[in-house]
Amino acid sequence: MLNAPYLEGIDPFAAAVRSITEPDPVHAALRAAGPIVQVDAPAGGRAWIVTDNALAREVLLDLRISKDPAFAPPGWDRHTAGLEQTAAEQPSLTTLDGPEHAELRRAHAPLLNPQRIRGRSDRIHAIARKLLTELAADRSEIDLMADFTTRYPLTVLLDLLGIPLEHVDQAADACRRMLSDQPGAQSGAIAELSELAASGLGDNGRGLAAELRDRVPEHTTQEQLQYHLFALIFAGQLTADAALGTLMAHALADRPHQPLADQGSIDELVRETLGQHPPTPFTLWRFTTTGIELAGTRLPSRAPVLVDIQGINTDPARSPGPDLAFGAGPHFCIGAQLAQLELRVVTAVLRTDFPKARLAIPFAELQQATSGGLQGSRLTALPVMLHG
Ligand code: HEM
């Protein structure tokens, strides 16, 4: 059995700023090196990145590869690696595997299923319309990244969970602090978001937070429940925020060619944008629980493994079929229906309510930045004139 090729001098985890039109060259380099490639991991030692679609789908189903940070390499610093606590310390959808994960998934799933989410469509339309209309009334040029892309998905999420909307600004601020590298900033932000989530759990709670409280396994503590809610808020905000920027930039750049509100073309734009510019370029970390063989190569026990979502989605040789923007297997994004609806709704509202909206600078001058690690790129600014 061979070792996977080691790609020296390529850092897939580096911070970078580039034009929206410029692809990240790292993904093509990884793909060219093989279906599974070793690179230097940000927290030390090697990491294994899967670049092949079929192999990725196997890995995402492989019970020997765990999400639990308890299996991270012994020398890894949790903060440098951006890891959650272990599943024993903090059980969550993103740290549990197997039956315990399935049990927690069953508690969440009906809350975010297609039917439930479709039922929120009018409400989400109203939120998008209100936020954009207020911004347009305030001034002629607006930076959507500063004033909309964080606020909109957070408003949708808090509304859905039954958390009073007066907390949106506080939640936005805490979500920003989640990405800070200042000592203690992240744990403070987690505590604040978890606390905020509790306001949806009172006796009068009518949103999905209260429904989740009634569905989680009996042994779940209040603190664990609040962490589950924090995870929904943070995962749902971070990803949708970045995706909204890229989507709205493309929607406005293509403006003269668009039909007014044709649902087929909106669905296609959302699918294409998420596929080609996935806000999560990699999956979260997984770790081998024992030495294993993958695609004829050897991985030691506790090897950190990632799937290169962006590289696989943009592979010109990928066979037709669903992309990996929302992952695959038991950890497939639980918010996928909600995220897609948020994105479709905003595109429709732009077309129907703001038919003259346009970018305030040329498309190619838009910059996307990543702060490194597993973080995806987010536009640094998206200046638009909503009334043309
Ligand atoms: C465009 C927006 C979104 C994208 C691209 C996205 C992408 C992903 C991906 C790729 C995964 C799998 C990660 C892995 O296997 O390591 C995932 C999982 C997850 N996502 Fe999303 N997501 C989005 C929106 C949302 C929203 C709106 C929510 C909350 C309502 C959400 C909550 C979650 C949660 C809780 C998980 C963990 C599921 C599990 O491990 O069982 N996501 N997401």
Side-chain angles (χ1 to χ4, degrees):
M1 224 187 326
L2 301 168
N3 285 326
Y6 168 53
L7 207 53
E8 209 175 348
I10 292 268
D11 182 1
F13 312 111
V17 182
R18 60 175 64 82
S19 159
I20 191 171
T21 55
E22 202 184 320
D24 180 347
V26 158
H27 299 281
L30 288 168
R31 204 164 53 222
I36 180 160
V37 182
Q38 292 187 68
V39 296
D40 290 317
R46 296 283 172 84
W48 281 255
I49 301 189
V50 178
T51 68
D52 174 77
N53 188 30
L55 185 62
R57 288 169 193 278
E58 270 176 45
V59 162
L60 296 175
L61 290 172
D62 194 324
L63 298 175
R64 300 166 305 170
I65 307 178
S66 166
K67 300 267 318 221
D68 187 351
F71 292 102
W76 270 27
D77 171 62
R78 199 162 66 76
H79 295 286
T80 318
L83 291 178
E84 286 178 88
Q85 290 179 284
T86 64
E89 291 162 337
Q90 190 62 266
S92 76
L93 284 176
T94 44
T95 58
L96 291 169
D97 296 297
E100 282 180 293
H101 174 257
E103 186 183 28
L104 195 52
R105 257 322 263 221
R106 277 196 300 278
H108 282 76
L111 279 55
L112 294 162
N113 71 18
Q115 200 189 353
R116 284 299 280 280
I117 295 303
R118 266 198 305 277
R120 302 292 299 185
S121 181
D122 288 351
R123 186 88 189 134
I124 296 177
H125 263 95
I127 291 171
R129 189 163 276 141
K130 177 169 184 291
L131 291 177
L132 286 174
T133 306
E134 281 171 2
L135 283 172
D138 192 41
R139 52 195 185 280
S140 56
E141 184 178 320
I142 294 146
D143 176 2
L144 291 173
M145 298 312 291
D147 294 327
F148 181 74
T149 61
T150 306
R151 244 188 126 62
Y152 165 58
L154 269 178
T155 308
V156 169
L157 276 164
L158 297 200
D159 190 51
L160 187 69
L161 292 169
I163 298 170
L165 295 186
E166 71 212 37
H167 295 307
V168 168
D169 286 334
Q170 190 193 350
D173 188 51
C175 284
R176 281 187 205 104
R177 276 183 284 121
M178 283 296 294
L179 306 178
S180 158
D181 48 17
Q182 294 295 311
Q186 205 185 75
S187 49
I190 295 177
E192 196 171 333
L193 285 168
S194 305
E195 202 47 52
L196 210 143
S199 57
L201 292 170
D203 291 339
N204 298 327
R206 302 229 178 282
L208 297 196
E211 203 174 324
L212 185 65
R213 174 197 59 208
D214 299 337
R215 292 188 51 86
V216 286
E218 251 175 35
H219 52 78
T220 307
T221 65
Q222 172 76 12
E223 186 253 334
Q224 288 167 352
L225 172 61
Q226 288 179 219
Y227 188 85
H228 298 327
L229 294 168
F230 145 76
L232 288 177
I233 297 171
F234 181 57
Q237 184 278 325
L238 182 72
T239 48
D241 181 356
L244 279 160
T246 320
L247 175 76
M248 293 173 93
H250 281 90
L252 294 173
D254 293 346
R255 191 103 262 204
H257 314 294
Q258 288 166 354
L260 241 189
D262 155 43
Q263 192 57 46
S265 77
I266 291 177
D267 293 355
E268 177 58 21
L269 181 67
V270 169
R271 199 190 56 73
E272 179 75 12
T273 311
L274 280 175
Q276 294 301 304
H277 310 274
T280 51
F282 298 104
T283 55
L284 299 173
W285 289 110
R286 284 167 170 71
F287 307 99
T288 55
T289 53
T290 176
I292 64 168
E293 183 190 331
L294 274 186
T297 66
R298 188 170 50 86
L299 273 70
S301 179
R302 303 182 74 166
V305 179
L306 290 175
V307 166
D308 183 0
I309 294 180
Q310 183 154 3
I312 291 172
N313 282 3
T314 53
D315 182 353
R318 185 169 68 85
S319 327
D323 63 38
L324 283 171
F326 291 104
H331 290 278
F332 181 82
C333 177
I334 200 149
Q337 300 297 331
L338 177 62
Q340 290 171 95
L341 182 61
E342 285 173 2
L343 295 169
R344 288 177 192 139
V345 161
V346 87
T347 314
V349 170
L350 270 184
R351 288 186 184 186
T352 51
D353 293 32
F354 301 95
K356 294 190 178 142
R358 62 179 174 85
L359 297 175
I361 61 172
F363 181 72
E365 285 178 22
L366 295 171
Q367 299 283 305
Q368 48 181 336
T370 165
S371 52
L374 300 186
Q375 288 304 316
S377 293
R378 178 185 191 272
L379 294 184
T380 54
L382 180 54
V384 302
M385 319 282 277
L386 279 174
H387 289 310

